[in-house]
Amino acid sequence: DAKTTQPPSMDCAEGRAANLPCNHSTISGNEYVYWYRQIHSQGPQYIIHGLKNNETNEMASLIITEDRKSSTLILPHATLRDTAVYYCIVRERTMAQNFVFGPGTRLSVLP
Amino acid sequence: EPEVTQTPSHQVTQMGQEVILRCVPISNHLYFYWYRQILGQKVEFLVSFYNNEISEKSEIFDDQFSVERPDGSNFTLKIRSTKLEDSAMYFCASRYSGQPDEQYFGPGTRLTVT
């Protein structure tokens, strides 16, 4: 699986958009970008995933660059409850394969 | 919304004792996983399980670990002889067969080995 690079920490003001970057310059054509988050030692929570098109769901938007070497997770209106560690994971969609979690980005949403 | 549940939420045991951590995956899911997270460290994969057998396991998952699906709803992780370094949060996860392939995690069991 391709390696990802994320900033170790970010701050965001409550109510503003949080934009979390992820670099994955060695991504291969059949690898997807997944985002999970972990709120204070709870189990990781799935947020969104994509291959090459931008994706949006009720939680977030995922913007993937045209060359697929980087992506950005956007939380459009961050709340205090969005304070968490956010993980960007790149992997193929295979049947049983586990997720490999890196250190992620610790997002602090400030009042 | 269906959830993965885990019991107990916190387990304290003495070194050398056996522990069983229990998970109830989401009902229509067929792939099951255990991960662990030592305090302050990354979430690490232990094992995946499908069709009543282990699909993949990491080097962490040595002979002292075992998994079982004893009935149609539970998925367990057994540690035969616990060590101090087994102290961690243990997360169970499950996913649907086919697409989508996102894994859904339980709230975790905090294992403390004294």
Side-chain angles (χ1 to χ4, degrees), chain A residues 32 34 36 38 40-49 58 87 91-103, chain B residues 31 33 35 37 39 41-45 48 55-56 89 91 95 97-108 110:
Chain A
Y32 286 70
Y34 292 80
Y36 276 77
Q38 188 176 23
H40 191 249
S41 296
Q42 297 178 21
Q45 177 188 24
Y46 166 77
I47 301 173
I48 199 167
H49 75 276
E58 65 278 4
Y87 302 100
R91 74 169 181 90
E92 295 182 20
R93 298 190 84 178
T94 61
M95 296 305 289
Q97 194 177 32
N98 57 290
F99 284 91
V100 178
F101 290 85
Chain B
Y31 288 86
Y33 306 82
Y35 292 78
Q37 186 175 32
L39 185 64
Q41 298 187 21
K42 303 176 194 177
V43 177
E44 301 174 291
F45 167 73
S48 61
S55 304
E56 293 179 83
M89 283 289 287
F91 297 109
R95 59 157 283 209
S97 175
Q99 308 302 336
D101 72 338
E102 303 85 60
Q103 294 176 21
Y104 293 86
F105 286 75
R110 179 171 298 282

Side-chain angles (χ1 to χ4, degrees), chain A residues 48-90:
Chain A
I48 199 167
H49 75 276
L51 181 62
K52 53 184 179 180
N53 297 321
N54 298 337
E55 302 287 344
T56 295
N57 63 19
E58 65 278 4
M59 289 182 69
S61 295
L62 174 60
I63 308 298
I64 303 174
T65 58
E66 192 169 340
D67 64 8
R68 301 209 324 122
K69 292 185 177 182
S70 65
S71 60
T72 301
L73 178 75
I74 301 173
L75 308 178
H77 305 287
T79 70
L80 298 179
R81 288 176 295 178
D82 292 321
T83 293
V85 178
Y86 287 77
Y87 302 100
C88 170
I89 302 168
V90 170

Side-chain angles (χ1 to χ4, degrees), chain B residues 28-76:
Chain B
N28 64 343
H29 286 187
L30 297 179
Y31 288 86
F32 313 114
Y33 306 82
W34 284 101
Y35 292 78
R36 79 171 187 189
Q37 186 175 32
I38 295 171
L39 185 64
Q41 298 187 21
K42 303 176 194 177
V43 177
E44 301 174 291
F45 167 73
L46 292 178
V47 65
S48 61
F49 190 86
Y50 171 71
N51 199 27
N52 284 318
E53 62 182 24
I54 291 173
S55 304
E56 293 179 83
K57 60 182 181 179
S58 72
E59 57 188 27
I60 301 170
F61 193 86
D62 61 22
D63 290 345
Q64 72 161 342
F65 291 92
S66 63
V67 289
E68 190 178 29
R69 187 151 164 84
D71 53 43
S73 59
N74 290 286
F75 180 52
T76 62

